[in-house]
Amino acid sequence: MARQDAQRCRVGLIGAGTFGLRHSRFIARSDRAGLVAVADPTFGSDRPVPDELREVARYADHREMLARGDLDGVIVASPSEMHVAHALDCLDAGVAVLVEKPVAVDREQARPLLDRVAEDPRARVLVGHHRRHHPAVAAARSLIEEGRLGEIRAVAAVWATHKTDAYFEIEWRRRRPGGGMLLINLIHEVDLLRHLVGEITSVQAIASNKARGLEVEDTAGLALRFENGAIGTLVGSDSAVSPWGWDQATDDDPAFPYHPGQPCLLIAGSRGSVSVPDMTVFTQPEPSWLEPVAQSRVPVQGADAFARQLAHFADVAAGRARPLVTAEDALRSFEVVRTAAQSLAG
Ligand SMILES: NC(=O)c1ccc[n+]([C@@H]2O[C@H](COP(=O)([O-])OP(=O)(O)OC[C@H]3O[C@@H](n4cnc5c(N)ncnc54)[C@H](O)[C@@H]3O)[C@@H](O)[C@H]2O)c1
């Protein structure tokens, strides 16, 4: 049964671009939240109002939107460089924030937000690493925590798809500090690997911009060492055709074609392994390369990481839950990507 309006989280949105509009569609499908206001400087121009936002109060300045005083939470989907400033404005207005990744584009920029969260118990910030809300991720984490795979030794992740040329017509996506597929895309894989395998203690990267010739990379590979001794590789490209990548292997985002059954993350331990998100599990009671491995599958019910993220945000905004992905946690994922990018320069 649909919830009464009074029980829904009253959401505002900062940034009505590609992903802000996507958020507005996720909210429209939700019975936990309702979109009541949206801010984007283009509303002061002759930009046509997107259909999704016709019934929503629109502002050219997000501070005017926040001054309404009736919002429970705000989603920040502005360009990455603006995330920290926008999130702080929301906290100043006493509103919970779901800030898109990356939480910041450099460590110093993030500091005031981290300090604010540490000092103010009413400051609630969730970062939009939505994949952590996917039930396959929870299932993989349980397998690992229960020791069914033994000690994790080796992991391999891939994210490869071919973005359209139109995607790069937006200026910030073509340059640093906000652009490039390391920070826009592979940060999600890094975050997932940290969540599942553990903290990353060293990273080295190689990258290429040969496909698009932009200032930022279009293809990259990362070599990773984890605190628990595991070794990992992560390879990605925004200019290669493949079904391998979270966006294709799940139906999280209807904007992308769904290729069910394709893995994008392989995790191998001393007693077994799992491929994610298809959740095929391989185990051996007595490890030996001369013996067959048993294969099984962990059923995953009710995916839709964005719906789950939104429901969680409604709980965070109402003070019923602590953020699954805090700003501090998300900054660690950013730091890995930043260190990887710095290793390119050397
Ligand atoms: N979680 C995910 O899977 C995911 C996917 C895509 C994008 N993102 C993130 O979402 C953010 C936005 O990405 P995008 O692709 O939608 O970018 P975009 O450029 O398409 O949209 C950004 C919007 O912000 C608006 N904007 C600019 N200045 C503003 C201001 N001062 N106040 C309010 N709005 C302002 C722009 O006019 C534009 O409409 C990025 O940080 C990106 O990393 C996350």
Side-chain angles (χ1 to χ4, degrees):
M1 199 204 304
R3 285 174 186 250
Q4 298 298 312
D5 277 356
Q7 293 174 303
R8 287 176 190 242
C9 180
R10 293 173 64 80
V11 176
L13 176 65
I14 299 179
T18 312
F19 216 64
L21 288 179
R22 209 79 58 81
H23 273 295
S24 75
R25 288 177 218 137
F26 298 136
I27 297 169
R29 294 197 318 233
S30 171
D31 69 350
R32 299 292 314 279
L35 184 63
V36 294
V38 56
D40 193 301
T42 58
F43 291 138
S45 70
D46 54 4
R47 172 189 176 186
V49 177
D51 286 345
E52 296 88 331
L53 304 179
R54 283 193 191 286
E55 307 299 319
V56 179
R58 298 181 296 276
Y59 301 83
D61 187 325
H62 69 283
R63 285 161 296 203
E64 279 175 40
M65 178 182 84
L66 292 170
R68 292 168 58 103
D70 65 346
L71 300 174
D72 301 315
V74 166
I75 298 177
V76 174
S78 49
S80 304
E81 290 166 88
M82 302 176 185
H83 288 177
V84 170
H86 286 162
L88 284 169
D89 286 343
C90 294
L91 296 180
D92 286 345
V95 175
V97 197
L98 165 49
V99 56
E100 265 306 341
K101 46 50 65 175
V103 61
V105 295
D106 73 53
R107 173 193 263 261
E108 289 317 306
Q109 188 198 40
R111 185 49 51 200
L113 183 61
L114 265 54
D115 288 349
R116 180 67 182 272
V117 172
E119 287 159 14
D120 180 356
R122 292 161 307 159
R124 290 150 293 159
V125 178
L126 171 70
V127 182
H129 283 296
H130 62 276
R131 298 177 190 179
R132 288 207 202 181
H133 299 268
H134 196 285
V137 172
R141 194 165 145 115
S142 296
L143 270 181
I144 292 168
E145 285 179 350
E146 288 160 11
R148 288 189 47 204
L149 308 184
E151 289 177 14
I152 302 305
R153 301 264 156 87
V155 299
V158 59
W159 180 89
T161 192
H162 206 301
K163 291 183 179 174
T164 59
D165 289 345
Y167 177 89
F168 295 95
E169 285 168 13
I170 293 177
E171 190 268 340
W172 71 266
R173 295 170 174 167
R174 295 196 298 267
R175 60 159 172 84
R176 300 197 197 287
M181 43 85 69
L182 276 170
L183 196 54
I184 293 181
N185 303 107
L186 294 196
I187 194 169
H188 277 304
E189 274 68 28
V190 165
D191 185 73
L192 256 195
L193 288 169
R194 286 186 49 245
H195 184 60
L196 292 175
V197 182
E199 291 302 340
I200 292 166
T201 53
S202 85
V203 56
Q204 285 191 318
I206 48 175
S208 166
N209 65 352
K210 180 168 175 281
R212 298 189 186 279
L214 300 175
E215 173 192 341
V216 293
E217 70 287 343
D218 47 63
T219 305
L222 271 56
L224 305 157
R225 183 186 295 278
F226 293 83
E227 203 168 54
N228 60 14
I231 296 293
T233 60
L234 164 57
V235 66
S237 178
D238 66 23
S239 48
V241 173
S242 97
W244 306 312
W246 187 269
D247 299 314
Q248 307 96 300
T250 67
D251 60 354
D252 274 354
D253 191 336
F256 303 118
Y258 178 32
H259 294 274
Q262 294 293 340
C264 57
L265 174 56
L266 309 176
I267 304 176
S270 54
R271 309 195 75 81
S273 52
V274 62
S275 61
V276 184
D278 54 301
M279 291 306 295
T280 312
V281 180
F282 303 88
T283 50
Q284 260 187 344
E286 296 299 329
S288 165
W289 71 344
L290 302 177
E291 300 296 330
V293 290
Q295 179 175 334
S296 60
R297 184 160 249 151
V298 176
V300 171
Q301 302 289 334
D304 201 340
F306 284 108
R308 286 168 181 261
Q309 175 179 261
L310 189 57
H312 175 64
F313 181 52
D315 287 338
V316 168
R320 287 190 294 266
R322 297 167 73 84
L324 176 64
V325 189
T326 64
E328 177 89 44
D329 195 353
L331 189 67
R332 292 202 194 131
S333 297
F334 166 79
E335 289 283 355
V336 172
V337 171
R338 187 190 65 129
T339 308
Q342 283 174 341
S343 80
L344 292 175

